[in-house]
Each structure stands twice: as structure tokens, then as C-alpha cells.
Amino acid sequence: MQLTTKRFVIRKSLIGQNTIITFTNKKGETYTYDHDAIYSANQEKFETMECFQKYGNYTNSNNIPAFARHLQIK
């Protein structure tokens, strides 16, 4: 599944859906990443975040977080 958004997002509802996400930030920079690959590599980090527990997602409107940049799809 392909998804286009305005921000980096990891959502509980997308886990296991094989989703490739592309987002463009406010500066016009476009990033593409494999949702499940980033979640799997950082599962413990996401599961301990208050926002992920409370709202079921993690977002960043400016960039792919530093801990996930090595998994960006060029």
C-alpha cells in the first residue's frame, strides 16, 4: 500500500500493512520510507513513547527522525 502524507508518521493501525509512506515537509523536501521497517527497528522506542501509547501514533512534521533516517528509501 502507498500512502502520501504531510508528515512522518508511525501508526499502530498501519503495522503489518506493508505501507510505503511518502511525505513532503513545509520546505518542499520529500521523504519516502517503509513504515513496518522503521517500526520493527524501533519497536521498543515507539512502545514506550507516551504519544504512541495514548494516541496510537508518532509524528514529525519536519523530517524523518534521526533514529530512522538510515531506513529511508532513496
Side-chain angles (χ1 to χ4, degrees):
M1 177 167 84
Q2 294 274 355
L3 185 64
T4 302
T5 66
K6 293 183 179 180
R7 64 188 56 83
F8 174 88
V9 64
I10 297 293
R11 291 186 191 132
K12 284 186 179 182
S13 63
L14 292 176
I15 296 169
Q17 302 294 317
N18 297 317
T19 304
I20 301 298
I21 298 176
T22 299
F23 79 95
T24 303
N25 66 15
K26 294 173 188 171
K27 295 178 184 177
E29 300 164 329
T30 300
Y31 301 93
T32 301
Y33 61 96
D34 182 321
H35 179 275
D36 290 345
I38 290 180
Y39 175 77
S40 295
N42 300 282
Q43 182 174 354
E44 190 172 312
K45 178 186 285 286
F46 288 119
E47 294 297 337
T48 58
M49 290 178 174
E50 188 175 334
C51 62
F52 201 74
Q53 292 175 2
K54 191 172 183 179
Y55 303 110
N57 65 60
Y58 168 83
T59 64
N60 185 322
S61 59
N62 297 315
N63 205 337
I64 293 181
F67 62 81
R69 286 185 194 145
H70 67 286
L71 295 169
Q72 178 181 345
I73 297 171
K74 302 288 183 194

